């Protein structure tokens, strides 16, 4: 069982019966995950949250398989994430290619088309978890969502 409780500036981590407590600052995170959403789609808040969740979970699962040590360290640090935006599908696809070239775990999300969007609409990209410096080379210039 893996439980993480975040409270103010304290991280309490319980994993397989082992308890740790650390004081962490944002600058101490070595790993993070980027979730990139398409702003041009004008998704509702709920739709954007669901698409971001799909990207975060899918990219995390890929990292767990392909870069287990990155994933474990990210989990232990508290799973830092950042949500960013692009203005088009083309920009999102370019980021996916850059992530693949850098061998970073990523997941491109296409909507099923059950509510707001047409089936197959590419909505989001999750990259990482990965070392923050590697991720910043690809996403560092993007604006916050």
């Amino acid at each position: 069982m893996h439980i993480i409780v975040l409270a103010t500036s304290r991280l309490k981590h319980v994993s397989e019966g082992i308890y740790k407590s650390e004081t962490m600052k944002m600058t101490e995170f070595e790993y993070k995950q980027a979730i990139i959403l398409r702003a041009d789609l004008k998704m509702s808040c709920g739709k954007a949250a669901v698409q971001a969740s799909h990207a975060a979970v899918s990219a995390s699962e890929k990292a767990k398989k392909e870069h287990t040590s990155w994933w474990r360290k990210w989990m232990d640090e508290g799973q830092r994430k950042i949500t960013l935006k692009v203005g088009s599908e083309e920009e999102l696809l370019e980021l996916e290619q850059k992530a693949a070239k850098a061998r970073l775990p990523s997941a491109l999300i296409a909507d099923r088309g059950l509510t707001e969007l047409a089936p197959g609409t590419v909505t989001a990209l999750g990259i990482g978890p990965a070392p923050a410096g590697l991720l910043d080379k690809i996403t560092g210039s993007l604006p916050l969502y």
Side-chain angles (χ1 to χ4, degrees):
M1 176 183 258
H2 190 85
I3 302 169
I4 294 200
V5 179
L6 296 172
T8 355
S9 65
R10 302 290 292 173
L11 171 68
K12 296 175 184 175
H13 174 91
V14 181
S15 178
E16 300 170 6
I18 300 168
Y19 176 81
K20 293 191 274 185
S21 180
E22 303 172 5
T23 300
M24 296 188 73
K25 299 176 186 172
M26 291 297 284
T27 57
E28 293 180 24
F29 286 99
E30 293 180 37
Y31 296 85
K32 69 179 176 180
Q33 182 181 58
I35 298 107
I36 304 102
L37 295 166
R38 284 183 55 194
D40 62 309
L41 294 175
K42 309 272 191 250
M43 293 180 276
S44 69
C45 292
K47 186 63 163 180
V50 169
Q51 298 304 301
S53 297
H54 288 317
V57 171
S58 297
S60 175
E61 287 295 316
K62 193 169 182 182
K64 186 177 181 181
K65 291 176 186 169
E66 296 177 1
H67 296 281
T68 306
S69 65
W70 290 358
W71 180 84
R72 173 52 53 205
K73 289 174 185 174
W74 175 72
M75 291 293 290
D76 289 344
E77 287 181 349
Q79 307 163 34
R80 182 181 184 195
K81 296 170 197 70
I82 187 166
T83 307
L84 307 164
K85 65 182 174 181
V86 293
S88 69
E89 180 178 348
E90 293 75 25
E91 289 179 76
L92 205 59
L93 296 175
E94 287 174 21
L95 290 171
E96 180 194 29
Q97 290 175 352
K98 288 178 182 180
K101 187 175 180 180
R103 298 181 185 219
L104 299 180
S106 66
L108 189 67
I109 305 303
D111 193 62
R112 289 186 61 195
L114 301 177
T115 56
E116 298 177 21
L117 303 170
T121 302
V122 176
T123 58
L125 174 66
I127 306 174
L134 295 177
L135 197 53
D136 288 344
K137 289 179 182 177
I138 295 169
T139 64
S141 65
L142 297 175
L144 295 174
Y145 185 82

